[in-house]
Amino acid sequence: GVGVGRVENRQRRMMEDGTTQIVPDHSSKNGYQLVPTSTDKRALEEFYDECNGVRWSVQKNWGVGEPCANGWHGVVCVGSRVTELWMNLNNVACWGKFNLTALSRLDELRYLDLSDNLFSGEIPSELFQMKKLQSLVLSSNRLTGTLSPEFGTLTSLRHLDLSANGLSGALPPEFSGMKSLEVLYLGEAGLENRNNFGGRIPVEWADLKNLRRLSLSGNNLITGKFPPWLGTLSNLEELTLSGCSLTGALPTSIGTLRHLRLLDLSGNKLVGLLPEGVSSLTKLKHLKLHGNKLTGHVLGTLPLTLRNLETLDLGGNRLTGGVPSSFSAFGKLEYLDLSRNKLTGPVPKSLKHVTSLRTVLLHENQFTGPVPGWLFVNLPSLMHLYLDNNLLTGKLPGAEIAGAALLKELHLGNNRFVGAIPAGIFDAPRLASLRLRGNKLTGSIPHEIGRAVELARLDLSHNSLTGTIPASIANATELAEVRLSHNKLEGPLPSRSLRELPMLRELHVNNNLLVGSVPAWLAQHECLRHVDLSNNKLSGLIPQALWDELLDDGDGGFGAVPKLPARHDRYANEESRVVSLGKNPFFCPIADWARDELQATCVFAEVLAIDPSFGPRSGGTEIVVTGTNFP
């Protein structure tokens, strides 16, 4: 632990009166002295012992004197009484299962935060003795079981967070007894666990009139339509019911939630259009309806009163039509997702006036026409632009893209763009991801690619690019993924340049016209996990360095492609490499391991002519042999 912790084997014993502790004292004649102690201290010491205190991440001053006087880590007092305990993210795990026996004796405790620890088992019944609790946070643990109806007896509770555990079962109607409740979080997925409540959201919860924040997200066993009675919770500021399998249309009563700032109903089965009541949500900042079954011209009915919107997510629905010119009224919008719909027309000009936009996701629609240059000029904060999988045409506006000072992601794949790749694209100073795959681009890869010093992902595959892979690619030192497959690239692999990319994880140059030999460093690079050189014109011998005959193959035998070496984030031989060399004219014969593990193919030499074809068998005669597939 960090800080000063009580020695693990410290001898302690209480007198029969329960208020006096016998502690070692080498200055006294008998070696002990009697020390008055508080009931709160005894409760905390018991919690420390029962919940493996010696292994906590921070245990500063625990066991030293009185908790209030000596500042025990996480303990807050009023006078000499403990009123708050903050132990979040502290590696706390009780022996066996979650235990609140000791803490339930802290009869002045108001705030208890045990989130992000290692508690397991069911929520103990001792919790419901803690009647003065105002805030209880147990999120991101490993709690299981169902929710007790006794929660309704905690009438002082204002904040209850049980999110990201493994709780299940029905939602108790008795929660309605927590009349003071302002925050109720029962959803959200953690790194390991998520709750899985089911059934209908109890109508009795309509009595929680003080509720300001409600989240049930991720509980996909919840059934029924969107509860119209939620409109009676007029103090709601945040309502998150994403991934709850709700059906039907949004009721008009949603318009009574006039304090609402966040409405997240994504990942449900909602249908229809937005109700007229949405126009009353003038304080709304974040509207997330992604992944439902909304249909029709929803954008045309989006109320202009929602001028405070910063996030609008309508992706993954069944919206049709275009984006209306009135869209320019949403001048505070920063995040816009209209992807995965059936929207048509050109890239909407109305976005030209929404200068606060940072993220624009319009992929997987049916937009037509060119990519307008004003996207990169009039939107100075633009960082992420996704226009993949549309019907866009024309040439790319390289000069305008070069001036996009904050642009990080430019995804224009699977459209119908023509012409050369503008060199100016690689002058965008913050560009980290460029995807132009699946277009009709021609010409060579600009040598200016070396200017893209922050570029990490490059996908130019499935075009008609020609020429060689420029050696200047070595200057783009952040590159981790390079995808150039299914083009007409020629010449040898720029081995030295690619080897100098320290972050390179994936290299895909298959289905081109590359010639030359396979470099041995492919199995020696520190990060390279996946290499595909198949369907080219590579020849010569396959390097023996691509095979380690002593390496465990994982099936009880030996022999494998060399695995990744040790690094700060992994052990040696922990991660495998994949190397594909299929359909190249390597010289026969090739080793079995090359054929089986690298999918390598080969061709035999064919003699077409010998000149001269006759003469003396010995002497100084020079013989010229011509043919194909010689090494």
Side-chain angles (χ1 to χ4, degrees), residues 510-512 514 532-539 580-586 590 598-603:
N510 51 293
N511 294 85
N512 280 286
L514 300 176
D532 193 347
L533 304 180
S534 61
N535 284 282
N536 280 286
K537 295 184 177 181
L538 300 173
S539 59
S580 300
L581 301 178
K583 295 186 179 180
N584 280 289
F586 296 110
I590 58 175
L598 309 182
Q599 299 84 46
T601 54
C602 67
V603 293

Side-chain angles (χ1 to χ4, degrees), residues 127-131 136 150-157 178:
L127 169 66
F128 309 112
Q129 302 172 18
M130 306 170 74
K131 302 298 184 182
L136 174 64
E150 290 192 65
F151 269 101
T153 65
L154 299 178
T155 55
S156 297
L157 206 59
M178 295 184 285

